Amino acid sequence: MGSMVNARELVLEILLAVTRDGEYSHIALRNVLENYQYLDKSERAFITRVTEGTLEHMIELDYIINQFSKVRVNKMKPVIRNIIRSSVYQLKYMDSVPASAACNEAVKLAAKRGFGGLKGFVNGVLRNISRNLDQVKYPDREDMVQWLSVTYSMPEWILAGWLETYDVQTVEAMLQEFLKEPPVSVRCNLSRISREELVTKLKEEGVCVTLHPEFPGALYLSGYDYLGALDTFQNGFFQVQDVSSMRVAEWAKPEEGDYVIDVCGAPGGKALHIADKLNGTGHVEARDLTEYKTGLIWDNIRRCGLSNIEAVCQNATVYDGASEEKADIVIADLPCSGLGVLGRKTDLKYKITPEAQEELVKLQREILSVVNRYVRPKGKLVYSTCTVSRRENEENAAWFANAFPEFEKLREEQFLPGNGGGDGFYIALFRKKA
């Protein structure tokens, strides 16, 4: 059991990094798993499950804790708050963890972190919850926003916005999708290897592979321990990319010899996809704001072995005169609230605010006002986000069409989470008139 105590300590460190220090959960979790690759596979799975589950259900967990604790969750010390949260998650959602173990290990961890004086408090709250989990009183369904918020741990302001656009059944289906284990989808680099050859190599590495019915190069992978350790990954035969993201290149339909600019390209998935579809012809310029982000793109370019793509450090809000009407295709996959990827980056729902979302709307319009000038006559601009938000999506596309009448909107679609097996994603395709 000593190793599990260590695993719980690591869970606590990740939760503190996310909830106290503002780190993104997928980054904090990835860093820990990379640093502790020597841990047993079951321990790594435990760390992932408890961390992601605690964050995923945090509003519900806090709601439960507040029914059994004299001290409100938001008044607790960060260490104690996150120990209790993760323990309640284990009590409610992990039948494989005995209630006594969840409670005892929480008490030990509190003492180990210097809160020996609160051992009785931690023990009392968790024992009380353990005995009375079936007595928790949830909000009445008549208050649909509060009921959905607690049941699915989604901030009320986000739900209110969705319910203005979609019916209750659609919103609840989205929320249920976010709570499912998201599949790991990858895109085969077809200019380097056929899908059939890649499937064979992956199976030889012990990976379970499922074909995607819509995209010829898309695969779902499972059954592996560490993706980065696979020879097929290291040799650049595939790129991790959600199937919704793959639609960008499919909609853009690049033709051999095209010049393409991806204005916010890191870590490079869409730009690499287009470069792959160009079959070694043309040129793709994947831009982003910082050397760190362009470094991520360069890492993927080198691994995938593509020669018709480069990474360039360029601020998308700053006009680049050298790019005036140079691009056959401009990809504008812009910074957004990320409300379509909450199944993978669950903490985003706690970080985004209405004010921050409005700032993103302004930033998106600012970037579109600049980068549309890079599209040549008869060229295409693809605007996309990984969010579900009319303000950032349909309303911004309508604004762009009105502000820049030289562009005609060919098509647009909001893909809801789970639609076609992918994340929530929005795409609008424009063509510049001759």
Side-chain angles (χ1 to χ4, degrees), residues 378-427:
K378 296 185 180 180
K380 290 172 281 191
L381 182 146
V382 184
Y383 173 55
S384 63
T385 73
C386 58
T387 196
V388 180
S389 162
R390 285 197 66 84
R391 290 284 293 131
E392 298 175 72
N393 296 340
E394 292 92 341
E395 291 182 21
N396 261 357
W399 168 85
F400 179 76
N402 182 65
F404 300 95
E406 64 270 30
F407 284 85
E408 60 175 329
K409 184 166 63 179
L410 301 180
R411 60 190 292 206
E412 69 174 328
E413 188 167 352
Q414 172 71 71
F415 297 92
L416 297 180
N419 186 333
D423 295 328
F425 207 85
Y426 172 81
I427 312 178

Side-chain angles (χ1 to χ4, degrees), residues 356-375:
Q357 188 176 60
E358 283 306 304
E359 289 302 312
L360 285 167
V361 170
K362 293 177 184 176
L363 176 62
Q364 291 155 355
R365 294 186 179 187
E366 182 182 359
I367 293 174
L368 288 171
S369 297
V370 172
V371 304
N372 79 86
R373 298 174 64 179
Y374 306 153
V375 183

Side-chain angles (χ1 to χ4, degrees), residues 235-248:
N235 291 328
F237 293 149
F238 68 84
Q239 177 72 24
V240 177
Q241 188 176 6
D242 187 74
V243 293
S244 289
S245 172
M246 295 180 203
R247 290 190 172 98
V248 170

Side-chain angles (χ1 to χ4, degrees), residues 192 234 236 272 294-295 297-306:
R192 298 202 56 203
Q234 294 175 3
L272 287 162
T294 53
I297 302 173
W298 274 120
D299 287 345
N300 282 316
I301 291 173
R302 284 188 284 265
R303 184 177 56 80
C304 292
L306 298 173

Side-chain angles (χ1 to χ4, degrees), residues 207-223:
V207 180
C208 296
V209 183
T210 304
L211 306 183
H212 190 277
E214 181 179 353
F215 298 114
L219 306 169
Y220 291 123
L221 307 187
S222 61

Side-chain angles (χ1 to χ4, degrees), residues 134-206:
D134 58 344
Q135 303 298 316
V136 173
K137 296 179 181 178
Y138 282 81
D140 195 300
R141 256 193 108 123
E142 290 186 4
D143 186 345
M144 183 55 65
V145 171
Q146 188 187 21
W147 183 84
L148 288 171
S149 176
V150 172
T151 303
Y152 295 101
S153 287
M154 187 65 63
E156 291 188 8
W157 74 271
I158 295 175
L159 290 167
W162 285 344
L163 288 168
E164 289 178 1
T165 306
Y166 306 105
D167 58 35
V168 172
Q169 291 75 20
T170 300
V171 171
E172 190 166 6
M174 278 198 290
L175 296 170
Q176 290 170 350
E177 193 66 33
F178 287 138
L179 294 181
K180 294 178 182 178
E181 180 79 23
V184 174
S185 62
V186 304
R187 177 184 50 77
C188 174
N189 286 320
L190 294 173
S191 62
R192 298 202 56 203
I193 189 173
S194 71
R195 184 168 77 164
E196 292 71 27
E197 289 177 297
L198 177 59
V199 169
T200 298
K201 288 181 179 293
L202 285 166
K203 288 182 177 179
E204 288 173 353
E205 292 184 280

Side-chain angles (χ1 to χ4, degrees), residues 89-106:
Y89 173 77
Q90 294 167 58
L91 291 171
K92 183 167 176 60
Y93 288 103
M94 296 181 70
D95 292 338
S96 60
V97 178
S100 58
C103 297
N104 292 339
E105 299 304 330

